[in-house]
Amino acid sequence: MKSINKLNIFFLFSTLIFFNPHISYADQNSNEDTMDNLYAIGGLMDKVIDKVPGMGGGDAPDMGGQKTELVKLFSESSEYYMTAQAYLLKSLKKDEEAQKVLAGIEFAKNSKNSDADRMANSIKVSDDASKVIESSMKGGSIELTAESKVLYAQSLPPAGKGVISTIKLGPVAQNMVATIQANPMSALDQLGGLAKVIPKLPGYISTLTNTMKLVLTAAKANNVDGTKDFEAVLSDLD
């Protein structure tokens, strides 16, 4: 793995290495005074490469199988969630934001876009939608009109399917993040841009979980059709 460009090592260093359990902070602190010097950074990288599996210090695992499973589960769950978010935004009279979510779904379906770009875009679109939904929900106490309740009810089935997919995605994502952190250079080599996107998944899952709980609170308060079924599915996330 030493043949990998040191520039790539530099880019990953700030986001992955300091969180890697194989590297002592003593090694990092010894170079703090010269981190602004490119040659000092290069020297530190040589030390890191010799100590970490997947960077020259041992054999790295094959991540191909994990990648295939994770991308499949993420694509499935994110499409369900974004579909639900589009309905929710429409029910909240946020039509412009709903259109952005629908555009995100189309972007994710376009095979001409890379897995990394599709995942990164889906995370951003979904996170942005969650912020709008949460800010509009008034802590779940919002009162829905009859028309809004119909749209809200349409969001619950895909939201429930998204929850089911997330239950499967969670442990796969956690394992993949751990593998990337333990083998950052091999991850870059095997996963490309996904190596920088996958570590965002735990935060993405946490945000969606909190948003869906708020969605349930508002659904119960407004007696929305399908609430009981959604509540039963959501309870499995706890």
Side-chain angles (χ1 to χ4, degrees), residues 154-188:
Q154 288 178 290
S155 76
L156 299 184
K161 292 178 181 177
V163 169
I164 293 172
S165 296
T166 298
I167 292 172
K168 300 175 183 177
L169 173 65
V172 177
Q174 289 178 347
N175 289 338
M176 196 68 170
V177 170
T179 300
I180 290 172
Q181 290 177 340
N183 306 276
M185 290 301 100
S186 290
L188 182 63

mmCIF file of all heavy atoms in Angstrom, residues 154-188:
data_model
loop_
_atom_site.group_PDB
_atom_site.id
_atom_site.type_symbol
_atom_site.label_atom_id
_atom_site.label_comp_id
_atom_site.label_asym_id
_atom_site.label_seq_id
_atom_site.Cartn_x
_atom_site.Cartn_y
_atom_site.Cartn_z
ATOM 1 N N GLN A 154 -49.787 9.370 3.841
ATOM 2 C CA GLN A 154 -49.073 8.734 2.723
ATOM 3 C C GLN A 154 -47.586 8.604 3.005
ATOM 4 O O GLN A 154 -46.898 7.785 2.372
ATOM 5 C CB GLN A 154 -49.300 9.548 1.441
ATOM 6 C CG GLN A 154 -50.704 9.435 0.876
ATOM 7 C CD GLN A 154 -50.902 10.289 -0.373
ATOM 8 O OE1 GLN A 154 -50.926 11.514 -0.315
ATOM 9 N NE2 GLN A 154 -51.017 9.637 -1.508
ATOM 10 N N SER A 155 -47.084 9.390 3.955
ATOM 11 C CA SER A 155 -45.656 9.320 4.276
ATOM 12 C C SER A 155 -45.313 8.139 5.179
ATOM 13 O O SER A 155 -44.165 7.678 5.200
ATOM 14 C CB SER A 155 -45.205 10.611 4.976
ATOM 15 O OG SER A 155 -45.630 10.634 6.338
ATOM 16 N N LEU A 156 -46.287 7.648 5.914
ATOM 17 C CA LEU A 156 -45.987 6.656 6.948
ATOM 18 C C LEU A 156 -45.575 5.282 6.406
ATOM 19 O O LEU A 156 -44.642 4.670 6.961
ATOM 20 C CB LEU A 156 -47.173 6.530 7.911
ATOM 21 C CG LEU A 156 -47.528 7.816 8.668
ATOM 22 C CD1 LEU A 156 -48.666 7.549 9.667
ATOM 23 C CD2 LEU A 156 -46.310 8.387 9.390
ATOM 24 N N PRO A 157 -46.228 4.743 5.353
ATOM 25 C CA PRO A 157 -45.773 3.440 4.845
ATOM 26 C C PRO A 157 -44.323 3.443 4.360
ATOM 27 O O PRO A 157 -43.535 2.564 4.768
ATOM 28 C CB PRO A 157 -46.769 3.137 3.721
ATOM 29 C CG PRO A 157 -48.010 3.860 4.123
ATOM 30 C CD PRO A 157 -47.518 5.136 4.729
ATOM 31 N N PRO A 158 -43.900 4.415 3.504
ATOM 32 C CA PRO A 158 -42.478 4.403 3.114
ATOM 33 C C PRO A 158 -41.549 4.700 4.282
ATOM 34 O O PRO A 158 -40.428 4.180 4.334
ATOM 35 C CB PRO A 158 -42.381 5.497 2.038
ATOM 36 C CG PRO A 158 -43.577 6.365 2.237
ATOM 37 C CD PRO A 158 -44.644 5.449 2.756
ATOM 38 N N ALA A 159 -42.014 5.520 5.236
ATOM 39 C CA ALA A 159 -41.186 5.783 6.421
ATOM 40 C C ALA A 159 -40.971 4.492 7.205
ATOM 41 O O ALA A 159 -39.865 4.208 7.669
ATOM 42 C CB ALA A 159 -41.849 6.837 7.302
ATOM 43 N N GLY A 160 -42.025 3.701 7.330
ATOM 44 C CA GLY A 160 -41.911 2.420 8.025
ATOM 45 C C GLY A 160 -40.960 1.470 7.326
ATOM 46 O O GLY A 160 -40.143 0.786 7.976
ATOM 47 N N LYS A 161 -41.019 1.442 5.993
ATOM 48 C CA LYS A 161 -40.096 0.588 5.229
ATOM 49 C C LYS A 161 -38.666 1.090 5.377
ATOM 50 O O LYS A 161 -37.718 0.291 5.411
ATOM 51 C CB LYS A 161 -40.515 0.561 3.764
ATOM 52 C CG LYS A 161 -41.830 -0.160 3.508
ATOM 53 C CD LYS A 161 -42.219 -0.109 2.031
ATOM 54 C CE LYS A 161 -43.546 -0.818 1.787
ATOM 55 N NZ LYS A 161 -43.977 -0.727 0.372
ATOM 56 N N GLY A 162 -38.521 2.411 5.480
ATOM 57 C CA GLY A 162 -37.187 2.964 5.694
ATOM 58 C C GLY A 162 -36.622 2.547 7.034
ATOM 59 O O GLY A 162 -35.431 2.262 7.156
ATOM 60 N N VAL A 163 -37.484 2.504 8.040
ATOM 61 C CA VAL A 163 -37.049 2.066 9.367
ATOM 62 C C VAL A 163 -36.571 0.616 9.330
ATOM 63 O O VAL A 163 -35.520 0.274 9.889
ATOM 64 C CB VAL A 163 -38.193 2.215 10.389
ATOM 65 C CG1 VAL A 163 -37.841 1.517 11.703
ATOM 66 C CG2 VAL A 163 -38.498 3.691 10.643
ATOM 67 N N ILE A 164 -37.337 -0.232 8.658
ATOM 68 C CA ILE A 164 -36.967 -1.649 8.552
ATOM 69 C C ILE A 164 -35.607 -1.797 7.867
ATOM 70 O O ILE A 164 -34.747 -2.585 8.300
ATOM 71 C CB ILE A 164 -38.049 -2.423 7.777
ATOM 72 C CG1 ILE A 164 -39.348 -2.462 8.593
ATOM 73 C CG2 ILE A 164 -37.577 -3.843 7.458
ATOM 74 C CD1 ILE A 164 -40.530 -3.033 7.845
ATOM 75 N N SER A 165 -35.394 -1.027 6.800
ATOM 76 C CA SER A 165 -34.114 -1.085 6.094
ATOM 77 C C SER A 165 -32.979 -0.556 6.955
ATOM 78 O O SER A 165 -31.861 -1.069 6.917
ATOM 79 C CB SER A 165 -34.196 -0.272 4.795
ATOM 80 O OG SER A 165 -35.137 -0.822 3.900
ATOM 81 N N THR A 166 -33.272 0.466 7.767
ATOM 82 C CA THR A 166 -32.245 1.053 8.619
ATOM 83 C C THR A 166 -31.812 0.091 9.715
ATOM 84 O O THR A 166 -30.644 0.082 10.125
ATOM 85 C CB THR A 166 -32.757 2.368 9.243
ATOM 86 O OG1 THR A 166 -33.033 3.287 8.186
ATOM 87 C CG2 THR A 166 -31.730 2.980 10.181
ATOM 88 N N ILE A 167 -32.739 -0.719 10.201
ATOM 89 C CA ILE A 167 -32.396 -1.730 11.208
ATOM 90 C C ILE A 167 -31.334 -2.678 10.655
ATOM 91 O O ILE A 167 -30.423 -3.114 11.365
ATOM 92 C CB ILE A 167 -33.652 -2.506 11.644
ATOM 93 C CG1 ILE A 167 -34.595 -1.578 12.424
ATOM 94 C CG2 ILE A 167 -33.287 -3.720 12.484
ATOM 95 C CD1 ILE A 167 -35.947 -2.178 12.728
ATOM 96 N N LYS A 168 -31.428 -2.963 9.364
ATOM 97 C CA LYS A 168 -30.435 -3.814 8.708
ATOM 98 C C LYS A 168 -29.155 -3.039 8.398
ATOM 99 O O LYS A 168 -28.051 -3.571 8.483
ATOM 100 C CB LYS A 168 -31.007 -4.393 7.413
ATOM 101 C CG LYS A 168 -32.259 -5.242 7.589
ATOM 102 C CD LYS A 168 -32.810 -5.667 6.230
ATOM 103 C CE LYS A 168 -34.103 -6.453 6.371
ATOM 104 N NZ LYS A 168 -34.681 -6.806 5.043
ATOM 105 N N LEU A 169 -29.320 -1.767 8.027
ATOM 106 C CA LEU A 169 -28.176 -0.941 7.628
ATOM 107 C C LEU A 169 -27.264 -0.596 8.805
ATOM 108 O O LEU A 169 -26.043 -0.573 8.653
ATOM 109 C CB LEU A 169 -28.684 0.353 6.979
ATOM 110 C CG LEU A 169 -27.640 1.423 6.639
ATOM 111 C CD1 LEU A 169 -26.676 0.908 5.571
ATOM 112 C CD2 LEU A 169 -28.330 2.708 6.174
ATOM 113 N N GLY A 170 -27.852 -0.332 9.975
ATOM 114 C CA GLY A 170 -27.086 0.143 11.120
ATOM 115 C C GLY A 170 -25.834 -0.648 11.446
ATOM 116 O O GLY A 170 -24.722 -0.088 11.435
ATOM 117 N N PRO A 171 -25.943 -1.949 11.716
ATOM 118 C CA PRO A 171 -24.745 -2.720 12.079
ATOM 119 C C PRO A 171 -23.753 -2.848 10.930
ATOM 120 O O PRO A 171 -22.535 -2.880 11.164
ATOM 121 C CB PRO A 171 -25.313 -4.087 12.477
ATOM 122 C CG PRO A 171 -26.686 -4.144 11.889
ATOM 123 C CD PRO A 171 -27.177 -2.745 11.858
ATOM 124 N N VAL A 172 -24.260 -2.915 9.703
ATOM 125 C CA VAL A 172 -23.354 -2.987 8.543
ATOM 126 C C VAL A 172 -22.549 -1.701 8.437
ATOM 127 O O VAL A 172 -21.333 -1.724 8.197
ATOM 128 C CB VAL A 172 -24.150 -3.224 7.240
ATOM 129 C CG1 VAL A 172 -23.217 -3.212 6.025
ATOM 130 C CG2 VAL A 172 -24.893 -4.552 7.303
ATOM 131 N N ALA A 173 -23.221 -0.561 8.635
ATOM 132 C CA ALA A 173 -22.535 0.730 8.573
ATOM 133 C C ALA A 173 -21.496 0.851 9.683
ATOM 134 O O ALA A 173 -20.372 1.323 9.450
ATOM 135 C CB ALA A 173 -23.554 1.858 8.678
ATOM 136 N N GLN A 174 -21.841 0.443 10.881
ATOM 137 C CA GLN A 174 -20.903 0.530 12.005
ATOM 138 C C GLN A 174 -19.658 -0.314 11.754
ATOM 139 O O GLN A 174 -18.531 0.120 12.024
ATOM 140 C CB GLN A 174 -21.596 0.081 13.292
ATOM 141 C CG GLN A 174 -22.635 1.066 13.804
ATOM 142 C CD GLN A 174 -23.343 0.583 15.056
ATOM 143 O OE1 GLN A 174 -23.238 -0.593 15.421
ATOM 144 N NE2 GLN A 174 -24.058 1.470 15.718
ATOM 145 N N ASN A 175 -19.863 -1.527 11.246
ATOM 146 C CA ASN A 175 -18.721 -2.395 10.948
ATOM 147 C C ASN A 175 -17.844 -1.802 9.858
ATOM 148 O O ASN A 175 -16.611 -1.878 9.916
ATOM 149 C CB ASN A 175 -19.212 -3.785 10.517
ATOM 150 C CG ASN A 175 -19.806 -4.581 11.661
ATOM 151 O OD1 ASN A 175 -19.516 -4.319 12.827
ATOM 152 N ND2 ASN A 175 -20.642 -5.557 11.344
ATOM 153 N N MET A 176 -18.488 -1.202 8.860
ATOM 154 C CA MET A 176 -17.738 -0.629 7.753
ATOM 155 C C MET A 176 -16.933 0.589 8.207
ATOM 156 O O MET A 176 -15.779 0.768 7.799
ATOM 157 C CB MET A 176 -18.713 -0.219 6.640
ATOM 158 C CG MET A 176 -18.049 0.028 5.291
ATOM 159 S SD MET A 176 -17.395 -1.496 4.585
ATOM 160 C CE MET A 176 -16.971 -0.943 2.940
ATOM 161 N N VAL A 177 -17.530 1.414 9.058
ATOM 162 C CA VAL A 177 -16.807 2.574 9.587
ATOM 163 C C VAL A 177 -15.586 2.118 10.380
ATOM 164 O O VAL A 177 -14.488 2.687 10.239
ATOM 165 C CB VAL A 177 -17.731 3.434 10.474
ATOM 166 C CG1 VAL A 177 -16.917 4.498 11.215
ATOM 167 C CG2 VAL A 177 -18.807 4.111 9.634
ATOM 168 N N ALA A 178 -15.756 1.091 11.194
ATOM 169 C CA ALA A 178 -14.636 0.569 11.980
ATOM 170 C C ALA A 178 -13.534 0.038 11.068
ATOM 171 O O ALA A 178 -12.343 0.243 11.327
ATOM 172 C CB ALA A 178 -15.129 -0.536 12.912
ATOM 173 N N THR A 179 -13.912 -0.641 9.999
ATOM 174 C CA THR A 179 -12.936 -1.177 9.053
ATOM 175 C C THR A 179 -12.178 -0.053 8.361
ATOM 176 O O THR A 179 -10.954 -0.126 8.186
ATOM 177 C CB THR A 179 -13.634 -2.055 7.994
ATOM 178 O OG1 THR A 179 -14.310 -3.136 8.642
ATOM 179 C CG2 THR A 179 -12.632 -2.616 7.007
ATOM 180 N N ILE A 180 -12.883 1.002 7.984
ATOM 181 C CA ILE A 180 -12.248 2.146 7.325
ATOM 182 C C ILE A 180 -11.271 2.827 8.267
ATOM 183 O O ILE A 180 -10.150 3.188 7.881
ATOM 184 C CB ILE A 180 -13.317 3.135 6.834
ATOM 185 C CG1 ILE A 180 -14.099 2.531 5.660
ATOM 186 C CG2 ILE A 180 -12.679 4.459 6.402
ATOM 187 C CD1 ILE A 180 -15.305 3.346 5.238
ATOM 188 N N GLN A 181 -11.666 3.010 9.510
ATOM 189 C CA GLN A 181 -10.800 3.677 10.475
ATOM 190 C C GLN A 181 -9.556 2.857 10.781
ATOM 191 O O GLN A 181 -8.476 3.411 11.015
ATOM 192 C CB GLN A 181 -11.577 3.956 11.764
ATOM 193 C CG GLN A 181 -12.645 5.036 11.593
ATOM 194 C CD GLN A 181 -13.468 5.264 12.844
ATOM 195 O OE1 GLN A 181 -13.524 4.399 13.723
ATOM 196 N NE2 GLN A 181 -14.128 6.398 12.931
ATOM 197 N N ALA A 182 -9.692 1.540 10.752
ATOM 198 C CA ALA A 182 -8.545 0.672 11.031
ATOM 199 C C ALA A 182 -7.637 0.506 9.818
ATOM 200 O O ALA A 182 -6.451 0.191 9.961
ATOM 201 C CB ALA A 182 -9.030 -0.699 11.506
ATOM 202 N N ASN A 183 -8.194 0.721 8.617
ATOM 203 C CA ASN A 183 -7.434 0.501 7.378
ATOM 204 C C ASN A 183 -7.685 1.649 6.393
ATOM 205 O O ASN A 183 -8.192 1.431 5.292
ATOM 206 C CB ASN A 183 -7.856 -0.822 6.728
ATOM 207 C CG ASN A 183 -7.763 -2.004 7.671
ATOM 208 O OD1 ASN A 183 -6.706 -2.591 7.836
ATOM 209 N ND2 ASN A 183 -8.882 -2.338 8.298
ATOM 210 N N PRO A 184 -7.373 2.884 6.757
ATOM 211 C CA PRO A 184 -7.753 4.033 5.935
ATOM 212 C C PRO A 184 -7.177 4.036 4.523
ATOM 213 O O PRO A 184 -7.871 4.405 3.574
ATOM 214 C CB PRO A 184 -7.257 5.236 6.746
ATOM 215 C CG PRO A 184 -6.219 4.684 7.659
ATOM 216 C CD PRO A 184 -6.664 3.306 7.986
ATOM 217 N N MET A 185 -5.926 3.620 4.370
ATOM 218 C CA MET A 185 -5.336 3.648 3.033
ATOM 219 C C MET A 185 -5.904 2.550 2.142
ATOM 220 O O MET A 185 -6.163 2.755 0.956
ATOM 221 C CB MET A 185 -3.813 3.525 3.123
ATOM 222 C CG MET A 185 -3.166 4.757 3.708
ATOM 223 S SD MET A 185 -3.526 6.258 2.750
ATOM 224 C CE MET A 185 -4.843 6.987 3.722
ATOM 225 N N SER A 186 -6.128 1.384 2.711
ATOM 226 C CA SER A 186 -6.761 0.310 1.949
ATOM 227 C C SER A 186 -8.189 0.682 1.599
ATOM 228 O O SER A 186 -8.686 0.349 0.526
ATOM 229 C CB SER A 186 -6.757 -0.998 2.754
ATOM 230 O OG SER A 186 -5.458 -1.519 2.859
ATOM 231 N N ALA A 187 -8.858 1.377 2.524
ATOM 232 C CA ALA A 187 -10.228 1.818 2.265
ATOM 233 C C ALA A 187 -10.269 2.776 1.088
ATOM 234 O O ALA A 187 -11.134 2.673 0.214
ATOM 235 C CB ALA A 187 -10.814 2.480 3.505
ATOM 236 N N LEU A 188 -9.318 3.706 1.043
ATOM 237 C CA LEU A 188 -9.260 4.651 -0.068
ATOM 238 C C LEU A 188 -9.007 3.922 -1.375
ATOM 239 O O LEU A 188 -9.605 4.239 -2.407
ATOM 240 C CB LEU A 188 -8.164 5.681 0.183
ATOM 241 C CG LEU A 188 -8.014 6.765 -0.893
ATOM 242 C CD1 LEU A 188 -9.280 7.604 -0.979
ATOM 243 C CD2 LEU A 188 -6.813 7.657 -0.587
#
